[in-house]
Coordinates of all heavy atoms in Angstrom, one line a residue:
S242 N -77.7 152.2 -117.3 CA -76.4 152.2 -118.0 C -76.5 153.2 -119.1 O -75.5 153.9 -119.4 CB -76.0 150.8 -118.4 OG -75.9 150.0 -117.3
F243 N -77.6 153.2 -119.9 CA -77.7 154.0 -121.1 C -77.6 155.5 -120.7 O -76.9 156.3 -121.2 CB -79.1 153.7 -121.7 CG -79.2 154.3 -123.1 CD1 -79.1 153.5 -124.2 CD2 -79.4 155.7 -123.3 CE1 -79.2 154.0 -125.5 CE2 -79.6 156.2 -124.6 CZ -79.5 155.4 -125.7
H244 N -78.4 155.9 -119.6 CA -78.4 157.3 -119.2 C -77.0 157.7 -118.6 O -76.5 158.8 -118.9 CB -79.4 157.5 -118.1 CG -79.4 158.8 -117.5 ND1 -79.8 160.0 -118.1 CD2 -78.9 159.3 -116.2 CE1 -79.6 161.0 -117.4 NE2 -79.1 160.6 -116.2
Q245 N -76.4 156.8 -117.9 CA -75.1 157.1 -117.3 C -74.0 157.3 -118.4 O -73.2 158.2 -118.3 CB -74.6 156.0 -116.4 CG -75.4 156.0 -115.1 CD -75.0 154.8 -114.2 OE1 -74.7 153.7 -114.7 NE2 -75.0 155.0 -112.9
E246 N -74.1 156.5 -119.5 CA -73.2 156.7 -120.6 C -73.5 158.0 -121.3 O -72.5 158.7 -121.7 CB -73.3 155.5 -121.6 CG -72.3 155.6 -122.7 CD -70.9 155.4 -122.3 OE1 -70.5 155.2 -121.1 OE2 -70.0 155.4 -123.3
C247 N -74.7 158.4 -121.4 CA -75.1 159.7 -122.0 C -74.5 160.9 -121.2 O -73.8 161.8 -121.8 CB -76.6 159.9 -122.1 SG -77.4 159.0 -123.5
V248 N -74.6 160.8 -119.9 CA -74.1 161.9 -119.0 C -72.6 161.9 -119.2 O -72.0 163.0 -119.3 CB -74.5 161.6 -117.6 CG1 -73.8 162.6 -116.6 CG2 -76.1 161.7 -117.4
K249 N -72.0 160.8 -119.1 CA -70.5 160.7 -119.2 C -70.0 161.3 -120.6 O -69.1 162.1 -120.6 CB -70.0 159.3 -119.1 CG -68.5 159.1 -119.3 CD -68.2 157.6 -119.2 CE -66.6 157.4 -119.3 NZ -66.3 156.0 -119.2
R250 N -70.7 161.0 -121.7 CA -70.3 161.5 -123.0 C -70.5 163.0 -123.1 O -69.7 163.8 -123.6 CB -71.1 160.8 -124.1 CG -70.6 159.4 -124.3 CD -69.2 159.3 -124.7 NE -68.7 158.0 -124.8 CZ -67.4 157.6 -124.9 NH1 -66.5 158.5 -124.7 NH2 -67.0 156.4 -125.0
V251 N -71.6 163.5 -122.5 CA -71.9 165.0 -122.5 C -70.8 165.7 -121.7 O -70.3 166.7 -122.1 CB -73.3 165.3 -122.0 CG1 -73.5 166.8 -121.9 CG2 -74.3 164.8 -123.0
K252 N -70.5 165.1 -120.5 CA -69.5 165.8 -119.7 C -68.1 165.8 -120.3 O -67.3 166.7 -120.0 CB -69.4 165.0 -118.4 CG -70.5 165.2 -117.4 CD -70.2 164.4 -116.1 CE -71.3 164.6 -115.1 NZ -71.1 163.8 -113.8
N253 N -67.9 164.9 -121.2 CA -66.6 164.8 -121.9 C -66.6 165.3 -123.3 O -65.6 165.1 -124.1 CB -66.0 163.4 -121.8 CG -65.6 163.0 -120.4 OD1 -64.6 163.4 -119.9 ND2 -66.4 162.2 -119.8
L254 N -67.6 166.0 -123.7 CA -67.7 166.5 -125.1 C -66.5 167.5 -125.4 O -66.1 167.6 -126.6 CB -69.0 167.2 -125.3 CG -70.1 166.4 -126.0 CD1 -71.5 167.1 -125.9 CD2 -69.8 166.1 -127.4
H255 N -66.1 168.2 -124.4 CA -65.0 169.1 -124.6 C -63.7 168.5 -125.0 O -62.8 169.2 -125.5 CB -64.8 170.0 -123.4 CG -64.3 169.3 -122.2 ND1 -65.0 168.4 -121.5 CD2 -63.0 169.3 -121.6 CE1 -64.3 167.9 -120.5 NE2 -63.1 168.4 -120.6
T256 N -63.6 167.2 -124.8 CA -62.4 166.5 -125.2 C -62.4 165.9 -126.6 O -61.4 165.4 -127.1 CB -62.0 165.3 -124.2 OG1 -63.0 164.3 -124.3 CG2 -62.0 165.8 -122.8
S257 N -63.6 165.9 -127.2 CA -63.8 165.2 -128.5 C -64.5 166.1 -129.5 O -63.9 166.9 -130.2 CB -64.5 163.9 -128.3 OG -65.8 164.1 -127.5
D258 N -65.9 165.9 -129.6 CA -66.6 166.6 -130.6 C -66.6 168.1 -130.5 O -66.5 168.8 -131.5 CB -68.1 166.1 -130.7 CG -68.2 164.8 -131.3 OD1 -67.2 164.1 -131.4 OD2 -69.3 164.4 -131.8
C259 N -66.7 168.7 -129.3 CA -66.6 170.1 -129.2 C -65.2 170.6 -129.6 O -65.1 171.6 -130.3 CB -66.9 170.5 -127.8 SG -68.7 170.5 -127.4
L260 N -64.2 169.9 -129.2 CA -62.8 170.2 -129.5 C -62.7 170.2 -131.0 O -62.1 171.1 -131.6 CB -61.8 169.3 -128.8 CG -60.3 169.5 -129.0 CD1 -59.6 169.0 -127.8 CD2 -59.8 168.7 -130.3
R261 N -63.2 169.1 -131.7 CA -63.1 169.0 -133.1 C -63.8 170.1 -133.8 O -63.2 170.8 -134.7 CB -63.7 167.7 -133.6 CG -63.9 167.6 -135.1 CD -64.4 166.2 -135.5 NE -65.6 165.8 -134.8 CZ -66.8 166.1 -135.3 NH1 -67.0 166.9 -136.3 NH2 -67.9 165.7 -134.6
A262 N -65.0 170.4 -133.5 CA -65.8 171.4 -134.1 C -65.2 172.8 -134.0 O -65.2 173.6 -134.9 CB -67.2 171.4 -133.6
N263 N -64.7 173.1 -132.8 CA -64.1 174.4 -132.5 C -62.8 174.6 -133.3 O -62.6 175.5 -134.0 CB -63.9 174.6 -131.0 CG -63.4 175.9 -130.7 OD1 -62.2 176.3 -130.8 ND2 -64.3 176.8 -130.1
K264 N -61.9 173.6 -133.1 CA -60.5 173.9 -133.6 C -60.4 173.6 -135.1 O -59.6 174.2 -135.8 CB -59.5 173.0 -132.8 CG -59.3 173.5 -131.4 CD -58.3 172.6 -130.6 CE -58.1 173.2 -129.2 NZ -57.1 172.3 -128.5
S265 N -61.2 172.6 -135.6 CA -61.1 172.4 -137.1 C -61.6 173.6 -137.9 O -61.0 173.9 -139.0 CB -62.0 171.2 -137.4 OG -61.5 170.0 -136.8
T266 N -62.6 174.3 -137.4 CA -63.1 175.4 -138.1 C -62.3 176.7 -137.8 O -62.0 177.5 -138.6 CB -64.6 175.7 -137.7 OG1 -64.7 175.7 -136.2 CG2 -65.5 174.5 -138.2
M267 N -62.0 176.9 -136.5 CA -61.2 178.1 -136.1 C -59.8 178.1 -136.6 O -59.1 179.1 -136.6 CB -61.2 178.3 -134.6 CG -62.6 178.6 -134.0 SD -63.3 180.2 -134.7 CE -62.2 181.3 -133.9
A268 N -59.3 177.0 -137.1 CA -58.0 177.0 -137.8 C -58.0 177.9 -139.0 O -57.0 178.4 -139.4 CB -57.7 175.5 -138.2
W269 N -59.2 178.2 -139.5 CA -59.3 179.1 -140.7 C -60.2 180.3 -140.3 O -60.6 181.0 -141.2 CB -60.0 178.3 -141.8 CG -59.2 177.1 -142.2 CD1 -59.4 175.8 -142.0 CD2 -57.9 177.2 -142.9 NE1 -58.4 175.0 -142.5 CE2 -57.5 175.8 -143.0 CE3 -57.1 178.2 -143.4 CZ2 -56.3 175.5 -143.7 CZ3 -55.9 177.8 -144.0 CH2 -55.5 176.5 -144.1
G270 N -60.4 180.6 -139.0 CA -61.2 181.8 -138.7 C -62.6 181.6 -139.0 O -63.3 182.6 -139.4
L271 N -63.2 180.4 -138.9 CA -64.6 180.1 -139.1 C -65.2 179.6 -137.8 O -64.6 178.8 -137.1 CB -64.7 179.0 -140.2 CG -66.1 178.5 -140.5 CD1 -66.9 179.6 -141.2 CD2 -66.0 177.2 -141.3
E272 N -66.3 180.2 -137.4 CA -66.9 179.9 -136.1 C -68.0 178.9 -136.3 O -68.9 179.1 -137.2 CB -67.5 181.2 -135.5 CG -68.3 180.9 -134.2 CD -68.8 182.2 -133.6 OE1 -67.9 183.0 -133.2 OE2 -70.0 182.5 -133.6

């Protein structure tokens, strides 16, 4: 269960932490 949840979270990173890191910074032209 632990591993399956890790895989699920990595697969969905683009909907949460990746989205946050990308758009919060790029709002000001920061990569």
Side-chain angles (χ1 to χ4, degrees):
S242 298
F243 193 105
H244 174 72
Q245 289 176 322
E246 182 69 359
C247 284
V248 172
K249 180 181 178 181
R250 287 301 176 196
V251 171
K252 286 182 177 181
N253 288 286
L254 264 169
H255 67 287
T256 69
S257 53
D258 281 20
C259 284
L260 182 149
R261 166 175 59 84
N263 184 283
K264 292 183 177 179
S265 298
T266 54
M267 289 301 288
W269 302 107
L271 176 68
E272 175 176 294

